[in-house]
């Protein structure tokens, strides 16, 4: 029986094999990345011959990705390295993978509770500015610029008031995205849903825990305040507690509402007795401390055909 060395010797000395082998080497050496790699390093003939398998692996892996063939780890791509006098293939994350990871990290800074998914795509750059909407837009852009410059100073938020569908929530989403890109976390809460959730939280004793996570948010955006079914409990024990904390800690807070601040005060009065109206006033003092009121008008962007 022939030993394996003998077989190999015969095989490799076969002119047909030699030809095929040379052709294969040639093909690998034709690859532009291989060429520029070889140009950039001084590699001897012996080293090159010994590294041929690596070069071949590199070209094979690279082309498989280019042709969309199935590969072991599509998030990584091959690169040639010159390591301890030999050529080797290393794998590094693809640009696409890095971008996706970065995008995921940005999105993870936005803590949204019952907010429409669309806000993920909202961007200042895509915000259609009309004269009626420019005021609110400028306020939020100015906030993001100033906040990013001096994140430890107090910056007053904005209370955006406007009709249904003018783009208030979209604008909050755009601000949250801009802040997330700069590395800051924000929390967006749809107030009507939140009030229902808090009521349910009484049953499982998680009210305080839920309030804490909202009140300490580095940047808080309360969407659609005034659209919740008001109760004295939600006003005083939930909103009151959250806004009191944010006022004392000077934490940036934003609001959107269909109500002006004065109308919101009426909404919070519930019944027109003196004590109620004092409580509503006290709550509104916190709102006014935290945010400037800006009107936003315009067409209802939710209407079909508009
Ligand atoms: P509001 O909160 O004032 O009721 P939304 O922010 O929900 O209004 O906006 C209504 C619809 O219009 C949403 O579908 C939103 O994505 C879209 N929209 C609002 N403003 C813009 C904008 N500037 N560019 C693109 N779409 C927008
Ligand atoms: Mg809205």
């Amino acid at each position: 029986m022939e030993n394996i060395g003998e077989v190999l010797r015969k095989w490799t000395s076969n002119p047909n094999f030699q030809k095929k082998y040379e052709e294969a080497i040639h093909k690998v050496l034709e690859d532009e990345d291989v060429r520029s790699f070889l140009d950039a390093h001084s590699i001897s003939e012996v080293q090159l011959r010994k590294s041929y398998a690596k070069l071949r692996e590199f070209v094979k892996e690279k082309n498989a990705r280019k042709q969309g063939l199935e590969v072991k780890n599509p998030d990584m791509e091959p690169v040639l390295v010159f390591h301890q006098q030999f050529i080797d293939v290393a794998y590094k994350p693809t640009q696409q993978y890095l971008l996706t990871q970065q995008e995921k990290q940005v999105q993870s800074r936005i803590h949204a509770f019952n907010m429409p998914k669309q806000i993920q795509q909202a961007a200042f750059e895509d915000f259609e500015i009309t004269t009626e909407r420019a005021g609110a837009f400028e306020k939020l852009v100015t906030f993001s610029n100033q906040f990013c410059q001096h994140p430890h100073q107090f910056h007053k938020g904005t209370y955006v008031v406007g009709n249904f569908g003018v783009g208030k929530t979209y604008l909050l989403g755009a601000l949250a995205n801009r802040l997330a890109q700069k590395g800051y976390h924000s929390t967006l809460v749809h107030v009507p849903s939140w009030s229902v959730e808090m009521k349910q939280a009484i049953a499982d004793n998680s009210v305080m825990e839920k309030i804490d996570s909202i009140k300490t948010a580095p940047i808080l955006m309360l969407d659609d305040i005034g659209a919740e079914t008001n109760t004295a409990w939600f006003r005083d024990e939930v909103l009151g507690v959250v806004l009191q904390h944010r006022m004392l800690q000077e934490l940036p807070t934003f609001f959107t509402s269909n109500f002006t601040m004065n109308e919101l005060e009426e909404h919070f009065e519930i019944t027109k007795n003196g004590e109620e109206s004092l409580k509503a006033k006290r709550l509104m003092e916190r709102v006014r401390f935290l945010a400037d009121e800006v009107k936003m008008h315009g067409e209802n962007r939710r209407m079909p055909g508009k």
Side-chain angles (χ1 to χ4, degrees):
M1 195 175 131
E2 284 176 307
N3 73 22
I4 189 80
E6 189 63 14
V7 173
L8 272 175
R9 199 190 55 73
K10 270 194 190 159
W11 191 23
T12 52
S13 60
N14 176 328
N16 210 11
F17 173 85
Q18 287 288 353
K19 194 167 159 257
K20 281 216 158 105
Y21 183 72
E22 291 300 330
E23 270 174 17
I25 289 189
H26 202 72
K27 216 169 152 202
V28 163
L29 293 180
E30 261 179 358
D31 181 273
E32 57 180 300
D33 288 329
V34 171
R35 280 169 93 133
S36 51
F37 177 80
L38 294 177
D39 283 347
H41 300 83
S42 48
I43 293 165
S44 71
E45 172 100 35
V46 178
Q47 284 167 339
L48 185 60
R49 286 209 167 266
K50 285 189 173 165
S51 302
Y52 168 64
K54 289 293 175 182
L55 292 175
R56 204 171 117 82
E57 174 189 338
F58 169 78
V59 174
K60 196 174 146 229
E61 290 286 335
K62 185 185 115 173
N63 289 339
R65 280 161 178 77
K66 228 189 213 166
Q67 292 157 13
L69 303 178
E70 199 174 318
V71 290
K72 218 171 171 186
N73 190 347
D75 294 331
M76 306 288 267
E77 62 188 358
V79 276
L80 288 171
V81 289
F82 196 47
H83 178 61
Q84 292 181 347
Q85 300 304 306
F86 289 101
I87 301 170
D88 205 352
V89 184
Y91 288 83
K92 69 167 179 75
T94 62
Q95 194 61 19
Q96 185 56 43
Y97 176 74
L98 290 177
L99 281 175
T100 317
Q101 287 303 101
Q102 201 185 352
E103 179 57 23
K104 271 194 194 152
Q105 204 179 6
V106 166
Q107 286 300 329
S108 76
R109 297 188 187 117
I110 301 178
H111 311 275
F113 296 96
N114 292 301
M115 298 294 291
K117 215 166 176 246
Q118 291 165 358
I119 59 157
Q120 281 184 3
Q121 265 80 48
F124 283 150
E125 290 78 7
D126 298 336
F127 190 76
E128 196 193 314
I129 308 168
T130 57
T131 37
E132 298 159 303
R133 310 198 303 155
F137 175 76
E138 274 162 23
K139 276 287 240 184
L140 267 60
V141 172
T142 306
F143 171 87
S144 81
N145 292 340
Q146 291 180 346
F147 178 83
C148 293
Q149 266 172 24
H150 305 286
H152 301 296
Q153 283 175 14
F154 176 55
H155 302 276
K156 212 167 172 180
T158 303
Y159 180 104
V160 185
V161 50
N163 288 336
F164 182 76
V166 292
K168 302 182 295 296
T169 300
Y170 183 94
L171 193 55
L172 284 189
L175 173 62
N177 279 314
R178 170 66 61 86
L179 292 167
Q181 277 154 10
K182 304 278 180 187
Y184 299 105
H185 287 251
S186 44
T187 301
L188 290 90
V189 177
H190 181 238
V191 178
S193 317
W194 184 40
S195 76
V196 174
E197 202 179 304
M198 292 308 288
K199 235 174 271 161
Q200 288 164 351
I202 300 175
D204 62 19
N205 241 333
S206 60
V207 172
M208 284 324 284
E209 182 192 319
K210 286 203 159 87
I211 288 182
D212 278 353
S213 75
I214 302 294
K215 80 174 185 191
T216 54
I219 296 169
L220 179 65
M221 308 184 183
L222 294 177
D223 193 34
D224 255 339
I225 191 166
E228 74 286 357
T229 313
N230 192 22
T231 63
W233 177 76
F234 184 69
R235 178 194 60 198
D236 303 332
E237 306 301 326
V238 181
L239 272 176
V241 172
V242 167
L243 298 184
Q244 171 76 0
H245 178 84
R246 301 192 69 80
M247 185 172 88
L248 294 177
Q249 299 297 317
E250 301 192 331
L251 295 169
T253 310
F254 289 79
F255 305 85
T256 75
S257 186
N258 284 20
F259 290 149
T260 62
M261 284 192 182
N262 287 341
E263 288 165 348
L264 188 68
E265 189 167 326
E266 273 179 43
H267 163 80
F268 282 133
E269 277 174 9
I270 312 175
T271 55
K272 293 276 170 203
N273 76 41
E275 198 194 343
E276 287 291 314
S277 102
L278 196 67
K279 283 186 172 161
K281 247 189 192 58
R282 196 171 301 145
L283 187 75
M284 288 314 295
E285 267 169 26
R286 296 168 193 162
V287 174
R288 289 192 169 94
F289 174 89
L290 290 165
D292 290 325
E293 184 171 1
V294 176
K295 292 200 171 58
M296 187 161 159
H297 300 289
E299 66 186 40
N300 181 351
R301 302 183 64 103
R302 297 190 207 200
M303 298 242 292
K306 280 241 172 176

